[in-house]
Amino acid sequence: MKINGGIPLKGTIKTQGAKNAALPVMAVCLLLRGQTLTLDNVPDLYDINTMIALIEDLGVNAEIMRSENKSQIAFHVPEEIKWEVSENLARKMRGSSLLLGPVLASCGRVSLPLPGGCSIGARPIDLHLKGLKQMGADIEIQNGIVHASVKGKLRGRRIYLDFPSVGATENLMMAASLAKGETIIENIAREPEIDNLAAALRCIGVPVELEGTGGVRIQGIESVHSGHERVIPDRIETCTYILAGIMTNGHIKIEDIVPSHIDAILAKLEEAGAKFSVRRNVIEIFPAKKRLHPISVKTMPYPGFPTDSQPQMGAALSIARGVSTIEESVFQARFLYAQELNRMGADIQISRDVAVIRGVERLKGANVKATDLRAGAALIIAGLSAEGETIVEDMVHVWRGYEAIDKKLKSLGAQVELVS
Ligand code: EPZ
């Protein structure tokens, strides 16, 4: 994407459906047999299309109905589905690990390639497998493929997650839905995606109770039924455009947001002196007289500051008035974007899991490379604020999570263009 920077963004956009909520909620359809799961507000993204392909490859018919202001998918599930997940499709997206729980629970067995590492860290699924084993699954790994099976049904039980892993929480909630008896999972992830998944499980008849103590209680049931659920708005996409508005000193509105989902971001932006107001499900960003103050940020599992907004915040703080720090405590290596920002004139030093960001007056356009989805987004908003022209290469990473980002930015007055 070629960006001509320095233009204050102006106008109104609407948040897409949340990628990280849609992926597990779509996998819920694999618990059905001869029934339909209908989902509203499913974003049109690479990763979503990969998940649709994975689900269709198992035998489900996905009816996609998209129009100007409608994005609905109906998953019509046959009486029988396959339990071997396509390797080349699964290797395209780590989120394919979310098929483990529902396919094992509904078929009694599943084969799925172990997800590979990626640029932000090792990304193991040991907590997913440990929980499934505790529910009675036999698990073997042979040349990179996970083979899980269970005689009869999985058994409900109390499970403690060593880390509030989002994916492990989601897989085990789906597995527990058809298990025999009650499952209680402690120390679960608290991301809003978990609430969306709980709602999707309830809509097909699974009794799910999220407890304030950071646990969830699920009664395994014999049979589920068709259901209809809506995907929540994408809090990470929202944060990305908020920071784009701030970095270009623009005046924008973002509609269909859930303010409580971005509390941590808003608190840090307020601390940094950003000017914005929130009314119901709309946030309005105002031009500020002065650049952001420097702040210290530490990423944490929800409701802490989200790791998925860390690169974008790094870009915003690279032009703050002083020295900021960001500590990345969730992933091992989520600072690859810093070197690319430094090529645009930023002054970011990394030591292990801490970035020290010395704010500069202005970034300068350069040719930079996206290394992962959120790093790509950080480079785009940096380019929007930089002086001159920026080219962000390897946009394939960005298309995984940002629906029509070129069109949305153009509608806000940005001079952006896709170049091959
Ligand atoms: C989800 O990944 C998101 N992906 C990630 O978003 C997000 O960064 C992450 O949650 C944290 O919020 C989807 O929802 C599809 P985790 P997930 O399991 O489930 C370690 C994006 O940009 N861990 O909470 O993989 C793991 O290595 C993506 O949209 C284990 O050690 O995250 C990591 O350090 C990037 N063993 C930490 O926990 C396990 O079995 C968080 O992982 C599982 C996880």
Side-chain angles (χ1 to χ4, degrees), residues 19-20 123-127 165-167 308 330-331 334 374:
K19 164 178 87 82
N20 291 349
R123 311 294 295 276
I125 58 169
D126 53 308
L127 300 179
S165 150
V166 174
D308 288 351
V330 176
F331 285 108
R334 204 164 196 175
R374 307 302 176 186

Side-chain angles (χ1 to χ4, degrees), residues 21 38-39 50 80 120 145 174 187 189 198 252 275 316 368 392-393:
T38 306
L39 299 176
T50 301
E80 287 302 311
I120 61 177
I145 308 274
M174 291 188 276
N187 194 28
I252 66 171
K275 301 286 176 248
V368 288
V392 177
E393 291 177 33

